Amino acid sequence: MSTISYFLSRLLQIIPTFLIVMVIIFLLVRALPGDPAIAMADAKATAEQLEQIRQRLGLDQPLWVQFGIFVKNVFTGNLGDSILLKAPVTQVIIERLPASGFLTLYAVLFSLLIAGPLAFVAALNRNSWVDTSIRSIFQVGLSTPVFYIGLLLLTFLAARMRWFPVGGYGTTFLEHMYHLLLPALTVALYTSAIIMRNLRSSVIEVVDAEYVQFARAKGLPERIVLGRHVLRNALISTVTLLGLSIGNLMSGTLVTETVFAVPGVGRLMLDAIFARDYPLIQGLTLTFAVLVSIIFLLTDMIQAWLDPRLRVA
């Protein structure tokens, strides 16, 4: 199977997934307690005014009619207006998405810089005190809740030492890197522990493979053996894990953004849930679903490049 055919087959698989996600989102949002009309209306609103709001939102229609309107609006790019912010949902998401995207990529970069080298060091010195020390340190990061790590960094490095701001996002690229360093490091300390454990195991497995031993027997330099034969094959399973981690980061930034007051979509989702903002919740969840699907598609393509045998499946 060619690369283009493989890409198209994976792309087609996203369509039914997206449709199922739309159904789940619609039903879950409707199952939330409370009345969005009351959340939108003034405290002194009459029953007639509340009914008018329900009619405007289409909440007086049967469930299947509401779903049809929802699907039509999604495919026409009209996600409605936010009840909380009194602005188009699409506009609100576009304004908040860059902060979450920057934070996610920043955290992934930190995770790779931390986990990659240390995984190799641990694998090439397996069962030594170096390996044990590295695994023990990462085990602490893996067993510590993300919000607790964030609170520690915020308390000591931001509030007490005043080395970093306690919140915000900044306006320029350098300010973004400065303001989001602690949030990204908070997420990376947990994510890097998962990546390191997986990559270490993969490297150990590949190093003992016959083709690696054969490459060494041919007299190839160690850097070529490790870079061309060990790293490429060890990354196959790690790329899958990394894709899952990025997907979790994109949809799980709520805690980090709340702790560090980052104006991203994760914090916006929390506000929307408390306000029972149906349109905004639906728009944000759909955005997460699309982004995660794209990340998984890219993960499949990278895996197929690393291991062409996957394209045969």
Side-chain angles (χ1 to χ4, degrees):
M1 183 183 295
S2 66
T3 303
I4 297 178
S5 300
Y6 181 78
F7 172 78
L8 292 176
S9 66
R10 288 293 182 264
L11 188 61
L12 290 174
Q13 292 176 10
I14 294 178
I15 297 176
T17 303
F18 185 67
L19 293 175
I20 294 173
V21 168
M22 288 178 62
V23 175
I24 294 174
I25 292 171
F26 177 81
L27 294 177
L28 287 179
V29 170
R30 294 306 184 279
L32 288 175
D35 188 347
I38 297 176
M40 285 186 66
D42 186 80
K44 299 180 180 180
T46 63
E48 291 77 11
Q49 291 173 327
L50 292 176
E51 187 60 30
Q52 289 177 0
I53 294 175
R54 293 188 187 99
Q55 291 177 0
R56 180 156 54 88
L57 295 175
L59 299 177
D60 61 327
Q61 301 290 331
L63 203 60
W64 63 273
V65 175
Q66 294 183 41
F67 181 71
I69 296 173
F70 171 61
V71 173
K72 176 185 175 182
N73 290 338
V74 168
F75 284 104
T76 56
N78 177 21
L79 299 178
D81 294 333
S82 169
I83 300 173
L84 176 65
L85 301 175
K86 314 295 183 185
V89 170
T90 305
Q91 176 186 335
V92 173
I93 294 176
I94 291 175
E95 291 175 353
R96 295 290 193 97
L97 191 59
S100 295
F102 195 101
L103 174 58
T104 301
L105 294 177
Y106 206 179
V108 170
L109 178 61
F110 266 133
S111 300
L112 294 177
L113 291 177
I114 295 171
L118 292 179
F120 260 87
V121 171
L124 298 179
N125 297 276
R126 54 180 162 174
N127 299 327
S128 67
W129 68 269
V130 176
D131 180 26
T132 303
S133 300
I134 292 175
R135 284 188 292 154
S136 299
I137 293 172
F138 276 100
Q139 185 62 39
V140 174
L142 191 61
S143 59
T144 306
V146 174
F147 74 89
Y148 186 69
I149 297 175
L151 289 175
L152 288 177
L153 295 177
L154 188 65
T155 301
F156 290 102
L157 298 182
R160 289 191 180 180
M161 305 300 292
R162 300 185 183 277
W163 290 350
F164 300 96
V166 295
Y169 177 53
T171 55
T172 65
F173 179 80
L174 292 179
E175 288 181 356
H176 296 338
M177 293 190 66
Y178 178 56
H179 280 76
L180 296 181
L181 192 146
L182 289 185
L185 185 60
T186 298
V187 177
L189 290 176
Y190 176 82
T191 307
S192 61
I194 301 175
I195 296 174
M196 193 284 296
R197 289 165 61 93
N198 180 271
L199 183 57
R200 173 189 173 275
S201 300
S202 298
V203 170
I204 290 176
E205 181 180 352
V206 173
V207 163
D208 292 335
E210 291 184 0
Y211 60 86
V212 174
Q213 303 300 327
F214 181 72
R216 282 178 172 149
K218 290 197 306 181
L220 292 176
E222 189 68 11
R223 61 181 179 82
I224 294 180
V225 173
L226 293 177
R228 183 178 299 175
H229 298 282
V230 175
L231 179 60
R232 178 163 183 163
N233 290 281
L235 281 177
I236 295 174
S237 62
T238 305
V239 165
T240 304
L241 183 63
L242 182 60
L244 293 172
S245 299
I246 296 175
N248 291 333
L249 288 178
M250 284 298 301
S251 58
T253 55
L254 186 150
V255 174
T256 308
E257 290 182 0
T258 302
V259 170
F260 289 94
V262 178
V265 290
R267 187 180 175 191
L268 181 62
M269 174 65 89
L270 183 64
D271 295 337
I273 292 173
F274 282 126
R276 300 182 183 88
D277 191 338
Y278 280 9
L280 188 54
I281 294 173
Q282 291 176 161
L284 287 170
T285 311
L286 283 172
T287 301
F288 290 141
V290 170
L291 291 175
V292 170
S293 297
I294 293 174
I295 290 169
F296 288 170
L297 177 62
L298 293 176
T299 301
D300 288 340
M301 297 307 299
I302 294 174
Q303 281 186 308
W305 174 71
L306 291 171
D307 188 359
R309 294 173 298 176
L310 295 175
R311 292 181 232 161
V312 179

